Amino acid sequence: MTPFVAFGYQKVKADKHKLEIDPVAGSVVQDIFKMKLQGMSQDAIANRLNELGVLSPFEYKISSGSHYETGFRQKEQALWSSVTVRRILENEVYIGNLVQGKRTTPNHKVKQSYVKPEDDWIRIEKNHEPLVSERDFEIVQRLLGMDTRTSPDQKQVYLLSGIAVCADCGAPMTRKVSTVAGKKYAYYLCSTNKETKRCSSHRIPEKDLENVVLVMLKQHIQNIMHLKRVLEFIGTVPFQEINVKKLQDRLEKKKMETERCKELRMMLYSDMKEGIVSKEDYVELHAAYGKRLRNAEESIRAIQKEMDNMLEKADASNTWLDYFVKYQDIEVLTRTVIVELIREIRVHDKKNIEIIFDFNDCYQALLTQLPAMGVEVAADPDNNLQVKIKEVV
């Protein structure tokens, strides 16, 4: 209903109440999200867009013939700023959600508006075609909450910025460069130790830490690929999932109940014809069997719907495996890979590194569920999974 839509979208000409992707502005929005995932700060993204001569949202609206006005214009030409970039990165509209009713006024006499509590906002999910995936949007929101800064001569944050933390105090590990005999050596150390000395340094060379992370990541991806192959094999057996099998058993019992009700009604008619039951009893019993039959048929429909939902959810619940599998040939760490697959890297010391991978709860839950499906799972000393299928029911 608003006169101006979010940058990246335009109103459908045939229906002004619907949104469609603006090919030009939409590609800029997608580039902004990509640059953020690659490790660029909001300032660096804004500077890059200005260097390339990309029109800011305000200038783009003006060039499109819009009479859009804003109080943020300070120069003859409105340029990209870190504030503008952040607003785009935080806007749910780019995953297809329409959020309205964020601001209101106390009453019709007061013009000054205020932001309403988020619970009172009107949110319509999957309202229009998204420009970015929910997965990328979620990762970007996580990155926006991190304290990651770039050095003056860098446009991108370091590979492990905001991800590597001290295992003892939880503070971020800070990258530092020392020069010895004319050679520069980069290493990470606990930021608490650097500032107050209240924690040990946990000092570790940058390359050593990155090499360990790469090895552990490759190992985890291999483990996930083993699990994916097992799930694909098990998935060829109908109703292998334990909960679905239980529903299948209930479904069979309800189907038997409906057949039994139909048989009893037929027998009841024969009994009335032969005078075994009176007409009054026949009417009463026929109605009772009919009600029982309808209840059983309704239960069958409910069970079938529950089974469909469970199978659909089971398929969707394992999509996280593919996030790792697509990097099965990884040989070099990149910022994008790290933020996609790793939540946190806890540094205890040079020889003790702990990695919390994304979807770790899903991974652990899957390992717990496999034995009930007839699959033995064990890890060797190097933490490589050994999988053996005992039986298929």
Side-chain angles (χ1 to χ4, degrees):
M1 299 295 291
T2 58
F4 303 104
V5 300
F7 180 73
Y9 287 98
Q10 59 190 11
K11 293 188 176 184
V12 178
K13 291 183 179 180
D15 187 346
K16 298 295 184 180
H17 300 297
K18 292 183 179 180
L19 297 179
E20 64 180 1
I21 293 175
D22 180 329
V24 177
S27 65
V28 175
V29 170
Q30 291 172 331
D31 287 341
I32 289 173
F33 275 86
K34 288 177 183 176
M35 285 188 278
K36 184 61 183 176
L37 289 171
Q38 290 168 357
M40 293 180 68
S41 66
Q42 287 84 271
D43 272 330
I45 293 172
N47 292 335
R48 179 61 176 161
L49 293 173
N50 288 327
E51 289 171 2
L52 294 174
V54 178
L55 294 179
S56 66
F58 174 80
E59 296 296 342
Y60 185 76
K61 286 184 173 69
I62 298 300
S63 70
S64 302
S66 170
H67 299 291
Y68 181 73
E69 293 293 338
T70 179
F72 292 99
R73 188 176 189 177
Q74 298 177 342
K75 298 182 179 180
E76 184 176 343
Q77 181 179 17
L79 300 176
W80 285 93
S81 69
S82 60
V83 174
T84 305
V85 171
R86 189 179 184 99
R87 284 178 177 168
I88 288 175
L89 292 173
E90 292 179 332
N91 199 336
E92 286 185 48
V93 73
Y94 300 117
I95 56 172
N97 294 347
L98 191 65
V99 183
Q100 296 179 312
K102 291 184 179 181
R103 304 185 68 87
T104 189
T105 56
N107 54 62
H108 67 281
K109 296 182 180 179
V110 179
K111 293 184 178 181
Q112 186 173 1
S113 64
Y114 65 91
V115 178
K116 295 164 62 177
E118 189 171 345
D119 291 343
D120 295 334
W121 295 355
I122 300 172
R123 176 178 280 102
I124 304 172
E125 297 184 354
K126 303 186 187 308
N127 176 76
H128 50 272
E129 184 179 354
L131 271 167
V132 297
S133 69
E134 292 186 19
R135 168 73 174 152
D136 286 347
F137 186 82
E138 186 272 331
I139 294 173
V140 166
Q141 303 319 297
R142 197 194 318 157
L143 293 175
L144 290 173
M146 293 180 181
D147 182 15
T148 52
R149 302 170 188 171
T150 58
S151 59
D153 59 339
Q154 295 285 331
K155 292 185 177 181
Q156 293 179 288
V157 299
Y158 299 112
L159 282 180
L160 306 181
S161 293
I163 306 292
V165 301
C166 171
D168 287 342
C169 69
M173 297 291 286
T174 299
R175 183 180 182 274
K176 187 175 181 179
V177 178
S178 296
T179 303
V180 179
K183 291 185 178 181
K184 292 186 177 181
Y185 298 90
Y187 57 90
Y188 281 93
L189 76 160
C190 172
S191 57
T192 300
N193 174 269
K194 182 181 178 182
E195 295 170 5
T196 65
K197 306 298 182 183
R198 292 180 180 177
C199 187
S200 58
S201 69
H202 295 72
R203 178 169 169 159
I204 182 172
E206 179 184 44
K207 288 303 178 184
D208 289 357
L209 181 55
E210 290 178 359
N211 289 338
V212 170
V213 171
L214 179 59
V215 169
M216 294 178 70
L217 177 58
K218 291 172 71 173
Q219 179 188 73
H220 190 67
I221 291 173
Q222 288 301 313
N223 288 343
I224 285 179
M225 289 177 66
H226 284 314
L227 295 180
K228 184 175 174 63
R229 283 193 287 267
V230 170
L231 289 176
E232 288 173 349
F233 176 77
I234 294 176
T236 63
V237 182
F239 309 110
Q240 179 63 29
E241 188 68 43
I242 301 301
N243 292 331
V244 177
K245 285 188 66 179
K246 291 178 180 178
L247 289 175
Q248 176 69 3
D249 292 340
R250 284 172 51 194
L251 183 63
E252 292 301 324
K253 289 179 181 178
K254 286 298 178 182
K255 287 182 177 180
M256 290 173 62
E257 185 177 343
T258 59
E259 293 301 320
R260 181 59 177 164
C261 285
K262 292 176 182 178
E263 290 177 7
L264 289 172
R265 287 202 306 181
M266 292 297 295
M267 292 170 60
L268 186 63
Y269 181 76
S270 298
D271 290 345
M272 183 191 69
K273 285 291 187 180
E274 296 176 7
I276 299 176
V277 296
S278 65
K279 187 173 182 179
E280 290 76 12
D281 289 340
Y282 168 80
V283 172
E284 183 178 344
L285 290 171
H286 189 276
Y289 286 139
K291 182 178 180 180
R292 184 177 168 185
L293 176 62
R294 289 191 296 274
N295 288 340
E297 289 174 339
E298 181 62 32
S299 295
I300 288 174
R301 286 191 289 270
I303 292 172
Q304 287 176 329
K305 183 176 181 180
E306 188 176 352
M307 285 175 60
D308 291 340
N309 290 338
M310 189 172 290
L311 289 170
E312 182 178 347
K313 189 180 294 184
D315 290 339
S317 66
N318 289 327
T319 55
W320 63 271
L321 295 166
D322 294 326
Y323 299 143
F324 289 86
V325 172
K326 75 175 182 178
Y327 291 112
Q328 59 184 291
D329 298 321
I330 183 174
E331 293 297 335
V332 178
L333 281 180
T334 65
R335 179 66 178 179
T336 302
V337 171
I338 290 172
V339 299
E340 277 192 35
L341 305 183
I342 298 175
R343 285 277 178 163
E344 194 171 70
I345 300 169
R346 298 171 184 170
V347 180
H348 294 266
D349 52 53
K350 292 180 181 180
K351 298 181 179 180
N352 191 358
I353 310 298
E354 179 186 2
I355 297 181
I356 308 301
F357 293 102
D358 205 3
F359 298 99
N360 184 59
D361 54 341
C362 298
Y363 180 77
Q364 297 299 331
L366 186 54
L367 292 180
T368 303
Q369 294 167 5
L370 285 176
M373 301 180 189
V375 179
E376 288 183 351
V377 181
D380 63 18
D382 293 326
N383 204 32
N384 292 306
L385 289 186
Q386 304 296 317
V387 179
K388 178 181 178 182
I389 299 176
K390 296 184 291 186
E391 59 177 312
V392 178
V393 182

